[in-house]
Amino acid sequence: MSIFVNTKNEQEEKVLIAFLDSLDYKYQSDISDEPAEVAAAFLNQYNQELEQADNEIEAGNYIAHEDVEQLFQKRPKAI
């Protein structure tokens, strides 16, 4: 999963980066503010995630729709 964040100022960016570092999250911070470059970075990441999902499905790493339905049926109902 990917999240693109536009911070309002340099201080917010520093706080966000410190938070991400503290939790050992992977992130990319060298994307320019140019809309074409932001779109290209998003599409590249999106395509990588789709490829990864396709590979997992081909390897049999998925949950069948019927299994998901059974999980929801067995789940306690909210009051």
Side-chain angles (χ1 to χ4, degrees):
M1 178 186 346
S2 298
I3 299 173
F4 285 97
V5 178
N6 291 321
T7 54
K8 296 176 188 170
N9 55 49
E10 190 175 334
Q11 180 63 27
E12 281 187 358
E13 182 178 349
K14 288 179 181 179
V15 170
L16 179 59
I17 288 173
F19 174 74
L20 295 173
D21 286 341
S22 72
L23 296 175
D24 199 28
Y25 280 106
K26 296 177 185 172
Y27 61 89
Q28 183 178 354
S29 63
D30 58 349
I31 301 170
S32 76
D33 290 337
E34 292 295 320
E37 289 185 36
V38 172
F42 172 79
L43 288 175
N44 184 40
Q45 182 65 32
Y46 182 75
N47 287 330
Q48 287 177 0
E49 290 177 12
L50 285 177
E51 183 68 29
Q52 180 183 1
D54 285 342
N55 291 338
E56 289 180 11
I57 290 169
E58 288 175 7
N61 298 331
Y62 62 90
I63 298 175
H65 183 75
E66 295 80 17
D67 294 337
V68 174
E69 287 180 344
Q70 287 178 4
L71 284 171
F72 278 111
Q73 288 176 356
K74 293 177 182 176
R75 194 173 75 175
K77 301 201 185 270
I79 296 177

